[in-house]
Amino acid sequence: MKQQIITRFLIIFAIAVISIVLALPSGSFGDSFLGKKLENFKITLGLDLAGGTELDYKIDLSEAMAQNSDNDSENDVNINAIAESVRDALEKRVNPAGVGEIIVKRSQINDEEHIIIQMPPSSNVAQAKQDAEQDNRLEFFEENPDKAKKARTTITTYLEDITPQNWNQKIEELTQLDNVFHNTVSKARFKSEIIDQDLAEKIFATTPNSIIREIIETQTEIETTIDENGQIQLTSFPKDILAIVKVNESLEEDREKTTPPKAKVRHILFAYPEATRAPEDVHYQNQEEAKAKAEETLEKLKNEGTGNFADLAKQLSTEPAAQESGGDLGEFEPGKMVAQFDEAVFSREKSGLLEEVIETPFGFHVIEVLSITPEVKETVREEKRSYEMIAWDINEIIWTPTPLGGAQLENAIVGYNEIGQPLVNLLFDSEGGDMFAELTGNVASRKCNDNPCRLGIKVGGNWITQPTVQEKIIGRNAQITGQFTFESAKRLADGLNLGAIDAPVNLSGQTTITPQLGEAQLQKSLKAGFYGFLATIIFMIIMYRFAGFIAGIALLLYATLFITILKTWPESLGGPIVLSLSGVAGIVLSIGLAVDGNILIFERLKEELFKGKSLRQAVDLGFERAWSAIRDSNLTTLLTCIILFSTGSSIIKGFAITLIVGTILSMFTALTLSRNLLRFTLLSNSVSKTNWFGVSQKKLNNTKSNIRKRH
């Protein structure tokens, strides 16, 4: 038992040393290694004490206003409810843990609804902006094979009505539809510069300032910009589209045209078993034999001429087509053959038999250049044309939106597939599970171009995955797969858990705000807290002597532990805890709770002494019998704080979190630190007198005498 008491004391001593070191003001250890490490641990002050940053977000209510302005009163929405919902969603995004002392409130400027976000200096403003503006809409779509056919029919109807004269009007009308956009190639191009040559043929076959009278299926071109560092940045990927095309201006321009060189060539190939694409029955057994035969054949052609070249190719070449072609490869440009072959042929300036055997991955070649046409550069006058399109995105028009979405999502977490690739697991509520089963059943029952149809998932308007569905999936679970890293999968899961907001928001202003109370008020509050703390310790010592002194030490440790927690609360739990004046009030109140626990314990200790128990017995029994009262009072306090934290505003949350931490710490210091410190001191006989615990020996003897008389 003695060894156990000493061990516990040493643990308390270690905790005390660590907490005191961390609680000391920054700079207490100078420029030492420890001092530099401790600079990272600071108490973070709130808006009222240190000021911060204010973000002003305007709520875009245009869609809701339009909905309320139409003739259908049944679809009207409550603007006030939307604004309140947006405020709640933004607070959840920028202050998810509730300990950041971030104030999120509504504001009205004329008829506009705004959300004001005020953040202390410790807040990551850039991250808060990103979180506030993030579009987390979760949407599910089903592939519909009939929609592409219907789209073509609809586009044909539009095409019949479009003329060059009403083109701009039709652009304005049609681009209001989903998945329709206007694509302009304003700079006139030569025919060869248009990537889709089928489209180029139609453009140059159409009279300028006319509409191509057929639906064009093509791709948009890659769009790029050049950033400030001169680097090319991709801004738009190609899209598969159905388009109505208008041909605009036509002009002629001189251009330098380069006709690449061409060569007409025949060869005899000597392959061996290890060569690329060598026939299984190749009759040259190894590389050395094939090379030797090639060199022998070349020498024969040099000596006898190339008149029988085709016959030798049919007889000796391992190329299957040589039996028909006699080794003739026809005419080709650079880049059509492997590099070694190309280089050997186009490095010559005239026709004839090559002087050496050429080795490529296919084997050894004896080559004769029958003719060669050099590169030609000339200036020619050619026509250029510009064009523009009203385009329907093929990859969008085939999808039908479904009612299933973020409203039915219960939770999203990161998981892994069977090969360890990160993915996002979705858990729907019961309604969502039924909707997901019905959706997958519908998709699985159809075919799309003779293949299984797909289920599409978008987050924030962007496609995340489009898996095929073979059968109905029953249950509340779904998965989002893709080329995820753990970090990207976690960002997606976190974003989905934050949910979407009911209306988009736009940042309309950012300002720096000054503290409402400032450093002077903080100093006054701390000074008042210090005097109250000191008065409490003095009172405890007067009332309970040595036990009060031990309680004072426990309270000092309580204070250092509290400061340590404020400085080291981890980001993973929403940290740091930001200290406002309301938080200081929570700390001071929790000190009172800590003292209250000690008073209950020491009064119980006195009662046990009057019952005739020894000092050591009285200490243990005092703590044990006071525990139920301490537990119940602190649990009710914790319950109240949890309710305040769950339902209160940011300021109330600040008060609640400090009181929660303080209450838990007060129980720890009263029941653990004080008890073990008392036990340790009682190992010495010098503190075995009851007078040291506020109970005079005379009064104790009188009480014992009265007890004996009654018995």
Side-chain angles (χ1 to χ4, degrees):
M1 176 64 76
K2 181 177 179 181
Q3 184 59 45
Q4 186 182 62
I5 292 172
I6 293 173
T7 301
R8 289 180 179 177
F9 172 77
L10 292 175
I11 293 172
I12 292 172
F13 181 78
I15 292 173
V17 171
I18 294 171
S19 65
I20 290 169
V21 169
L22 287 169
L24 287 173
S26 300
S28 298
F29 295 91
D31 294 330
S32 64
F33 174 79
L34 180 61
K36 291 178 180 178
K37 287 290 183 182
L38 292 177
E39 283 181 359
N40 298 323
F41 300 104
K42 296 178 181 178
I43 294 178
T44 306
L45 299 180
L47 282 164
D48 54 352
L49 301 174
T53 301
E54 180 177 278
L55 301 177
D56 182 358
Y57 278 97
K58 177 186 174 183
I59 305 176
D60 183 357
L61 294 169
S62 55
E63 185 175 334
M65 294 289 192
Q67 196 169 330
N68 288 354
S69 301
D70 61 20
N71 296 325
D72 186 2
S73 60
E74 292 185 0
N75 69 352
D76 286 358
V77 293
N78 188 321
I79 299 295
N80 184 67
I82 291 176
E84 192 62 29
S85 173
V86 171
R87 194 214 71 81
D88 293 343
L90 288 183
E91 181 166 33
K92 184 179 178 183
R93 290 181 176 203
V94 301
N95 190 23
V99 300
E101 287 289 342
I102 296 175
I103 297 174
V104 183
K105 58 186 178 182
R106 287 176 58 187
S107 174
Q108 283 190 325
I109 302 176
N110 298 325
D111 293 331
E112 297 176 348
E113 286 283 353
H114 288 248
I115 302 296
I116 306 298
I117 303 175
Q118 296 177 332
M119 296 177 291
S122 61
S123 300
N124 186 333
V125 177
Q127 185 63 48
K129 287 181 183 178
Q130 181 179 329
D131 291 340
E133 297 162 16
Q134 186 176 355
D135 186 351
N136 295 326
R137 288 172 297 146
L138 174 64
E139 300 171 287
F140 284 79
F141 299 81
E142 56 180 311
E143 187 177 8
N144 188 336
D146 297 328
K147 291 198 71 175
K149 298 175 185 176
K150 291 178 181 178
R152 283 183 178 274
T153 303
T154 303
I155 296 170
T156 300
T157 304
Y158 293 140
L159 179 59
E160 293 172 354
D161 294 336
I162 291 180
T163 65
Q165 289 73 34
N166 68 8
W167 175 259
N168 290 332
Q169 177 189 340
K170 291 298 182 181
I171 290 174
E172 186 174 347
E173 291 177 7
L174 295 177
T175 52
Q176 299 299 314
L177 304 175
D178 290 338
N179 307 316
V180 184
F181 60 95
H182 179 223
N183 184 265
T184 303
V185 182
S186 56
K187 183 179 178 182
R189 297 182 179 183
F190 294 110
K191 186 176 182 181
S192 61
E193 293 177 331
I194 298 174
I195 295 175
D196 185 343
Q197 281 297 294
D198 289 337
L199 173 61
E201 291 290 345
K202 293 180 173 66
I203 289 171
F204 279 81
T206 302
T207 305
N209 197 33
S210 299
I211 308 295
I212 298 178
R213 288 298 164 184
E214 63 177 285
I215 298 172
I216 303 299
E217 185 168 347
T218 185
Q219 270 193 340
T220 59
E221 297 186 5
I222 294 174
E223 296 179 10
T224 59
T225 58
I226 299 177
D227 63 19
E228 57 186 13
N229 299 319
Q231 300 295 317
I232 297 176
Q233 299 292 328
L234 184 65
T235 56
S236 177
F237 288 96
K239 293 180 179 178
D240 295 320
I241 59 172
L242 297 174
I244 298 173
V245 180
K246 177 176 178 283
V247 181
N248 291 328
E249 64 176 336
S250 174
L251 55 90
E252 290 188 346
E253 188 176 294
D254 290 338
R255 69 181 298 200
E256 188 177 81
K257 186 175 182 180
T258 300
T259 304
K262 293 182 179 180
K264 189 174 183 181
V265 175
R266 58 183 178 177
H267 77 138
I268 304 172
L269 175 62
F270 299 84
Y272 48 90
E274 293 80 15
T276 302
R277 297 182 189 170
E280 292 183 4
D281 58 348
V282 61
H283 45 270
Y284 302 109
Q285 300 300 312
N286 52 53
Q287 187 175 6
E288 291 74 18
E289 182 182 340
K291 183 178 181 182
K293 190 63 179 177
E295 290 174 343
E296 178 188 329
T297 303
L298 179 60
E299 287 300 318
K300 183 176 181 179
L301 289 169
K302 286 179 180 178
N303 295 330
E304 300 177 3
T306 59
N308 64 341
F309 192 100
D311 293 334
L312 287 173
K314 292 177 182 180
Q315 176 187 347
L316 302 174
S317 181
T318 58
E319 180 187 13
Q323 294 300 317
E324 297 292 333
S325 66
D328 194 343
L329 296 173
E331 192 173 49
F332 56 86
E333 299 175 358
K336 299 296 183 182
M337 301 295 176
V338 293
Q340 300 91 330
F341 199 102
D342 253 10
E343 184 179 353
V345 170
F346 289 102
S347 62
R348 293 179 62 87
E349 296 181 354
K350 59 182 181 178
S351 60
L353 187 70
L354 268 62
E355 298 295 326
E356 296 179 354
V357 172
I358 303 302
E359 183 180 3
T360 74
F362 298 97
F364 298 94
H365 305 258
V366 174
I367 301 173
E368 182 184 12
V369 179
L370 299 176
S371 66
I372 188 160
T373 304
E375 179 182 271
V376 176
K377 291 185 177 181
E378 57 182 336
T379 301
V380 296
R381 194 163 188 82
E382 284 191 10
E383 187 180 9
K384 298 176 75 173
R385 291 197 173 181
S386 64
Y387 63 97
E388 56 186 302
M389 302 181 289
I390 301 174
W392 282 256
D393 190 333
I394 294 176
N395 292 323
E396 294 288 343
I397 60 177
I398 61 174
W399 297 97
T400 300
T402 72
L404 181 62
Q408 290 77 37
L409 181 67
E410 196 166 279
N411 191 25
I413 59 172
V414 178
Y416 296 89
N417 61 15
E418 59 276 4
I419 61 172
Q421 181 72 29
L423 50 80
V424 177
N425 289 310
L426 305 179
L427 176 64
F428 298 113
D429 58 21
S430 57
E431 179 193 16
D434 294 339
M435 294 170 69
F436 185 64
E438 182 181 358
L439 170 59
T440 53
N442 291 340
V443 176
S445 66
R446 296 196 303 265
K447 290 287 185 181
C448 295
N449 299 323
D450 297 326
N451 295 312
C453 287
R454 295 172 295 168
L455 171 72
I457 302 175
K458 278 185 177 182
V459 176
N462 298 314
W463 287 111
I464 299 298
T465 186
Q466 297 174 350
T468 57
V469 179
Q470 305 281 0
E471 60 185 12
K472 182 177 182 178
I473 302 173
I474 299 174
R476 296 168 55 197
N477 296 291
Q479 290 182 340
I480 299 178
T481 58
Q483 300 300 314
F484 289 123
T485 62
F486 174 79
E487 289 75 16
S488 62
K490 187 175 186 305
R491 280 197 302 272
L492 176 58
D494 290 345
L496 291 174
N497 287 328
L498 286 177
I501 55 178
D502 292 338
V505 294
N506 302 303
L507 183 65
S508 60
Q510 176 177 337
T511 56
T512 299
I513 54 178
T514 56
Q516 299 167 345
L517 299 174
E519 186 71 20
Q521 293 296 327
L522 175 63
Q523 295 301 326
K524 290 179 181 178
S525 300
L526 292 178
K527 188 179 291 184
F530 172 75
Y531 290 145
F533 186 79
L534 187 61
T536 300
I537 293 177
I538 293 171
F539 170 80
M540 292 296 290
I541 292 173
I542 293 172
M543 288 295 297
Y544 301 105
R545 309 296 198 281
F546 184 73
F549 174 74
I550 294 296
I553 293 175
L555 280 177
L556 287 171
L557 289 178
Y558 162 89
T560 59
L561 285 170
F562 208 124
I563 294 171
T564 299
I565 290 172
L566 290 176
K567 287 186 173 183
T568 60
W569 190 277
E571 289 186 9
S572 59
L573 295 178
I577 294 177
V578 179
L579 191 62
S580 65
L581 209 58
S582 62
V584 174
I587 295 173
V588 174
L589 181 57
S590 64
I591 292 174
L593 293 174
V595 173
D596 182 56
N598 280 291
I599 290 173
L600 285 172
I601 291 166
F602 296 154
E603 288 299 326
R604 283 288 190 177
L605 187 153
K606 284 184 177 183
E607 289 178 8
E608 297 304 325
L609 286 175
F610 286 129
K611 289 179 182 179
K613 298 293 191 291
S614 68
L615 194 52
R616 287 185 177 86
Q617 289 175 325
V619 167
D620 289 335
L621 289 171
F623 278 91
E624 289 172 8
R625 292 176 179 174
W627 161 241
S628 60
I630 295 172
R631 178 196 61 204
D632 293 344
S633 64
N634 282 281
L635 283 179
T636 53
T637 302
L638 285 173
L639 181 60
T640 304
C641 289
I642 291 170
I643 294 171
L644 287 174
F645 187 82
S646 302
T647 61
S649 64
S650 180
I651 294 174
I652 298 299
K653 286 178 186 284
F655 170 79
I657 189 64
T658 53
L659 188 52
I660 287 171
V661 173
T663 301
I664 295 171
L665 266 182
S666 71
M667 286 194 290
F668 173 72
T669 54
L671 296 170
T672 302
L673 297 185
S674 296
R675 184 175 189 174
N676 284 288
L677 287 173
L678 278 173
R679 279 181 164 183
F680 179 75
T681 56
L682 288 175
L683 293 176
S684 171
N685 293 326
S686 59
V687 288
S688 59
K689 296 179 181 179
T690 58
N691 289 339
W692 285 48
F693 292 84
V695 179
S696 68
Q697 190 64 44
K698 181 179 179 181
K699 187 175 180 180
L700 184 60
N701 291 335
N702 290 337
T703 303
K704 288 179 180 179
S705 176
N706 291 333
I707 293 172
R708 283 195 295 269
K709 287 178 181 178
R710 285 198 298 268
H711 289 285

